[in-house]
Amino acid sequence: MNLKTVNIKYCLFPMITLLLGIIKIFSHDIDTITDYFFTDDTFYYLNTAWNLKFFNYVTFDGINKTNGLHLLWFWLLALYQNIFSDKITFSYGVLLLCLFINLFQYRVIYLLSKYLKVDYLYFFVAIFWFHLSLSDTFLSGMDNSIGILILSISIYSLFNIFNEEDINKI
């Protein structure tokens, strides 16, 4: 087996996830997206991030200030919403953001399996993650994707606590 063949097999799950994720997101109209993809909390985050641009403070309703949110996800959305002109494209964009965060998870799975020197671990965990990354839990506009990514990076970092060179690969 040459190096190119070995690397391509590790790209299979991310490529299929990307393709199916884009099809899943863009094959639905905005009513379906809001009814079936998003949870109630998703609307809270999207609206609060959107309102930051107009009111210059964190608010859901434009009247009262709020602080009941996960800061990392909120600030990511607050920065991200600046590239969208309306809430509909922002909604689709947030689902794409979740998808790309989910794709990055494959890299952490790969690094962990290489660190542990268990080649089949990548495929076992990648099959599991493939199912989860396209589920309503991790493709919902909520902070679940970034939360599991941070947890995975933390686990990988714990394995590499004395080896800074491997931590920098992430």
Side-chain angles (χ1 to χ4, degrees):
M1 240 190 249
N2 63 30
L3 187 58
K4 289 182 181 179
T5 306
V6 172
N7 289 336
I8 289 173
K9 72 180 182 181
Y10 292 108
C11 295
L12 183 63
F13 284 106
M15 289 187 308
I16 293 172
T17 302
L18 178 63
L19 177 67
L20 292 179
I22 288 172
I23 290 170
K24 183 176 181 177
I25 292 168
F26 289 106
S27 64
H28 299 290
D29 63 1
I30 192 63
D31 292 331
T32 305
I33 295 289
T34 56
D35 288 346
Y36 297 105
F37 282 75
F38 291 164
T39 64
D40 293 343
D41 288 350
T42 304
F43 293 108
Y44 175 78
Y45 277 96
L46 296 182
N47 203 50
T48 306
W50 189 260
N51 284 342
L52 182 63
K53 158 171 42 177
F54 297 105
F55 297 104
N56 292 323
Y57 62 92
V58 181
T59 178
F60 176 76
D61 58 8
I63 300 167
N64 303 301
K65 291 182 179 181
T66 187
N67 62 0
L69 38 84
H70 300 147
L71 288 177
L72 177 61
W73 186 239
F74 171 75
W75 286 112
L76 189 62
L77 291 179
L79 291 172
Y80 191 61
Q81 59 86 19
N82 285 313
I83 63 175
F84 298 99
S85 60
D86 60 60
K87 287 185 178 181
I88 293 174
T89 55
F90 181 48
S91 298
Y92 281 103
V94 167
L95 290 177
L96 282 175
L97 178 64
C98 289
L99 179 63
F100 286 119
I101 292 170
N102 291 344
L103 289 174
F104 192 71
Q105 181 71 30
Y106 286 108
R107 175 71 176 157
V108 179
I109 295 168
Y110 171 78
L111 291 173
L112 187 59
S113 66
K114 287 300 174 189
Y115 180 81
L116 295 174
K117 295 180 176 78
V118 182
D119 198 36
Y120 66 86
L121 179 65
Y122 172 80
F123 298 103
F124 177 74
V125 177
I127 289 169
F128 181 70
W129 181 244
F130 173 75
H131 170 72
L132 285 178
S133 67
L134 294 173
S135 71
D136 295 340
T137 302
F138 291 98
L139 199 59
S140 67
M142 282 299 295
D143 59 342
N144 302 337
S145 297
I146 199 136
I148 196 75
L149 180 63
I150 289 170
L151 177 65
S152 300
I153 290 171
S154 299
I155 291 169
Y156 177 72
S157 297
L158 283 174
F159 279 108
N160 291 292
I161 198 113
F162 297 109
N163 190 351
E164 287 186 18
E165 183 178 309
D166 286 343
I167 293 173
N168 293 331
K169 288 181 185 176
I170 294 180

